[in-house]
């Protein structure tokens, strides 16, 4: 007897197999398996790699941090996480690293690479974030991008989150993640593909004070995974994050006025090229899962840039 495809899935023993297949296609859509269109330009190629110990230092959790042939491993267990910080501050620039995440159960765990001046301006600081929100084995990682301007952490937190799933498995290999921050815009990149552009529409909604570059792994069980529904489970410890290929190039307050941060586009201008914009639109169409500007629960008087 020859069974057609519909009748095959009607067989009782095939139902769970089909359900699993359907769930996987929802997590990793087959139609998008080819990845985004080429952006046509690689900003990372214009920036030299910096050895970790030449550009960064341990900030906390030194016993949970290991440097081996240029690759940094940080880990979180029940006793501590770990973090690092750049040796100098920047007022603009390109900041990137290749990262590889831990597979399996990582709910509640944040692995991050970001800019901040929270130590200099506690309760009134600026921040530009790339954060991987830990997950459960049946769901993909969420990459959260965020921008804070003067005042996060003081009880009036105004985040500007855009969250993405990725067109690849970030636990299988290293991929490059970067922030380009210049006086007119902030652009987030994944493997040189722009995924988000945050333009400067006013001084009140754009970070302009110097910031340092940070990375860390830590327990954010109260909010990281499905708004805190799933917590860090230390039966799965240690939770590991890996970093390599650090790229940092920028200007600070002590540089001459002629200092210019690396460009986001081949033209040398601050704007993305048409090809880059098409690639970004593809990512946002297929992999954007949250946009604060379209959240009806947000107070939009606090986010006028939307």
């Amino acid at each position: 007897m020859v069974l057609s495809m519909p009748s095959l899935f009607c067989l009782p023993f095939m139902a769970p197999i089909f359900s699993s297949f359907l769930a996987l296609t929802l997590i990793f859509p087959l139609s998008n398996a080819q990845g985004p269109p080429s952006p046509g330009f690689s900003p990372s190629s214009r920036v030299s790699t910096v050895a970790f110990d030449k550009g960064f230092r341990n900030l906390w959790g030194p016993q949970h941090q290991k440097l081996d042939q240029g690759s940094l491993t940080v880990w979180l267990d029940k006793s501590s996480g770990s973090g690092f910080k750049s040796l100098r501050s920047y007022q603009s620039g390109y900041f990137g690293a290749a990262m590889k995440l831990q597979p399996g159960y990582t709910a509640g765990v944040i692995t991050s690479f970001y800019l901040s001046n929270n130590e200099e301006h506690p309760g009134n600081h600026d921040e530009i974030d790339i954060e991987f929100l830990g997950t459960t084995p049946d769901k993909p990682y969420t990459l959260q991008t965020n921008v804070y301007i003067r005042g996060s952490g003081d009880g009036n937190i105004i985040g500007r989150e855009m969250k993405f799933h990725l067109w690849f498995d970030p636990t299988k290999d290293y991929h490059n993640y970067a922030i380009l921050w210049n006086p007119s815009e902030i652009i987030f990149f994944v493997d040189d593909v722009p995924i988000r552009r945050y333009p400067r529409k006013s001084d009140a909604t754009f970070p302009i004070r110097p910031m340092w570059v940070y990375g860390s792994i830590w327990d954010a069980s109260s909010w990281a995974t499905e708004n805190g529904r799933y917590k860090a489970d230390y039966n799965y410890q240690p939770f590991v994050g890996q970093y390599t290929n650090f790229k940092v190039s920028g200007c600070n307050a002590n540089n001459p006025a002629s200092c210019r941060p690396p460009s986001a586009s081949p033209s040398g201008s601050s704007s993305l090229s048409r090809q880059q914009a098409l690639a970004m639109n593809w990512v946002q169409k297929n992999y954007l899962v949250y946009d604060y500007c379209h959240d009806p629960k947000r107070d939009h008087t606090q986010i006028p840039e939307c």
Side-chain angles (χ1 to χ4, degrees), residues 225-247:
T225 306
E226 298 188 28
N227 295 317
R229 179 183 177 188
Y230 297 99
K231 314 292 186 185
D233 183 344
Y234 288 99
N235 289 315
Y236 297 97
Q237 71 176 27
F239 301 102
V240 176
Q242 296 172 273
Y243 300 77
T244 192
N245 196 30
F246 294 94
K247 295 202 169 192

Side-chain angles (χ1 to χ4, degrees), residues 37-47 94 180 187 189-194 262-269 271-277 279:
S38 170
F41 179 67
S42 299
S44 66
S45 67
R46 305 290 182 92
V47 182
Y94 177 97
L180 193 146
I187 301 174
F189 292 91
V190 175
D191 288 338
D192 282 317
V193 176
S263 174
S265 68
S267 68
S269 68
S271 299
L272 295 174
S273 69
R274 182 177 181 275
Q275 193 169 346
Q276 287 176 304

